[in-house]
Amino acid sequence: DRGRLNDCHCPDLCCCVFQYLVLCSSLCPQAYSDQELLLLLCMICRVSLEKQLRLLPVKDLRCLLLCLVNSTRDWDSKLPQICLILTDLTDHHHNLRRLVRLLPDNRRGRQLRKHLSLSIISKLLNHRCTYKATNTDLQLSDLRLYLFRMKPSLLSKGIAAAKKVASEGLQHEEESSVSVDQQAYYLCCSLLALTNEVTNFESIPSGQKVSLPTDFTNTKRPGWGWHSELLNVFLQIQFSVVYISVV
């Protein structure tokens, strides 16, 4: 009930619920089917996006997600389903990034982070999720399809075209306080953060290399130095953004 989320006691109750679920999933992991664990994981992630609950401590939430991920028996078949469901929970790229950050940092959690990040990238660039995980080990060649489309100039054109289509049929178009370029750089920063998740390997898998288009940052970096260099460049961009959460 959204109306009850404004209750001052609701955050405390949610913390108690998370702790209780952690206890149940830890003591009796076999009591739940993989499908039940999947649905519970996705429901918890959706609840975490509620504005009134975003200031909650994430320790209990992350502990619960860790238990749910580790308790899943057929992980190989459930991972693609989890990615598809989580990608559809929200359309705002800031909220999608939040979902990725909440996921655990163990082996399964990192696998989920990588595939979910690539699923989100495909959704943000194609307006629907076109990437589907086929196995737990991510192939970096899948990322190459999206890299060149992350340039702010291309993102600006896409945002401007979408605004034009949305404004058709309206007599008076409302002026936005955020420029197209600002929106493009904001989206670009989210895409770069997600790219960093995808390429976050302890060691680069043999035979898996992707090269960044040279016109993206106007810098040439051999091997795998590009992804950290790319993030450093765009973190230095100064712009102001009016952020309105859309769930």
Side-chain angles (χ1 to χ4, degrees):
D1 186 350
R2 288 180 177 269
R4 294 185 178 179
L5 288 176
N6 294 320
D7 192 321
C8 62
H9 299 295
C10 184
D12 294 332
L13 292 175
C14 286
C15 287
C16 292
V17 171
F18 293 158
Q19 293 171 4
Y20 176 73
L21 290 173
V22 168
L23 180 63
C24 293
S25 58
S26 300
L27 293 178
C28 305
Q30 294 81 11
Y32 305 94
S33 67
D34 281 354
Q35 188 63 21
E36 290 172 334
L37 293 172
L38 182 151
L39 294 175
L40 182 56
L41 184 149
C42 295
M43 183 190 71
I44 294 300
C45 287
R46 178 61 184 84
V47 169
S48 71
L49 295 177
E50 291 293 339
K51 295 178 183 179
Q52 293 84 350
L53 302 180
R54 289 188 181 179
L55 296 180
L56 281 177
V58 297
K59 180 179 179 181
D60 293 329
L61 179 58
R62 284 177 172 164
C63 187
L64 174 57
L65 292 176
L66 176 63
C67 290
L68 297 177
V69 166
N70 287 342
S71 298
T72 303
R73 290 175 284 278
D74 190 3
W75 177 245
D76 289 358
S77 66
K78 291 302 176 184
L79 185 146
Q81 297 180 41
I82 296 173
C83 289
L84 290 175
I85 296 175
L86 293 184
T87 303
D88 286 337
L89 288 183
T90 176
D91 290 327
H92 199 287
H93 56 88
H94 188 94
N95 292 338
L96 289 167
R97 282 180 59 189
R98 173 179 168 81
L99 291 178
V100 175
R101 292 195 299 267
L102 286 175
L103 296 174
D105 195 32
N106 64 339
R107 180 175 176 274
R108 285 187 172 186
R110 287 191 292 271
Q111 290 175 343
L112 182 54
R113 279 172 175 253
K114 294 176 188 297
H115 286 290
L116 178 59
S117 295
L118 194 49
S119 298
I120 293 171
I121 289 173
S122 72
K123 176 181 179 177
L124 294 176
L125 294 176
N126 297 327
H127 306 293
R128 62 186 181 88
C129 182
T130 56
Y131 170 78
K132 183 178 180 181
T134 55
N135 53 62
T136 55
D137 294 326
L138 183 141
Q139 298 298 312
L140 287 174
S141 58
D142 294 329
L143 177 62
R144 187 182 296 116
L145 300 173
Y146 308 104
L147 281 178
F148 77 97
R149 297 173 59 191
M150 296 182 191
K151 293 187 292 185
S153 58
L154 294 179
L155 296 176
S156 294
K157 291 179 181 179
I159 293 173
K163 280 191 170 184
K164 183 177 180 180
V165 172
S167 64
E168 289 181 356
L170 298 178
Q171 294 181 352
H172 301 285
E173 182 180 358
E174 295 183 359
E175 294 185 2
S176 174
S177 59
V178 183
S179 70
V180 170
D181 285 342
Q182 286 175 323
Q183 293 180 55
Y185 280 115
Y186 185 24
L187 175 58
C188 185
C189 285
S190 291
L191 289 168
L192 291 173
L194 293 167
T195 300
N196 192 45
E197 287 286 350
V198 176
T199 59
N200 186 20
F201 288 90
E202 293 181 0
S203 60
I204 304 304
S206 176
Q208 294 198 46
K209 281 191 176 183
V210 294
S211 57
L212 186 68
T214 55
D215 59 340
F216 197 92
T217 59
N218 293 323
T219 59
K220 294 183 179 180
R221 292 279 174 171
W224 277 88
W226 67 263
H227 88 273
S228 58
E229 177 69 14
L230 186 61
L231 287 173
N232 290 335
V233 169
F234 279 88
L235 286 175
Q236 295 172 4
I237 296 175
Q238 300 297 321
F239 63 97
S240 60
V241 174
V242 176
Y243 170 58
I244 300 176
S245 175
V246 180
V247 177

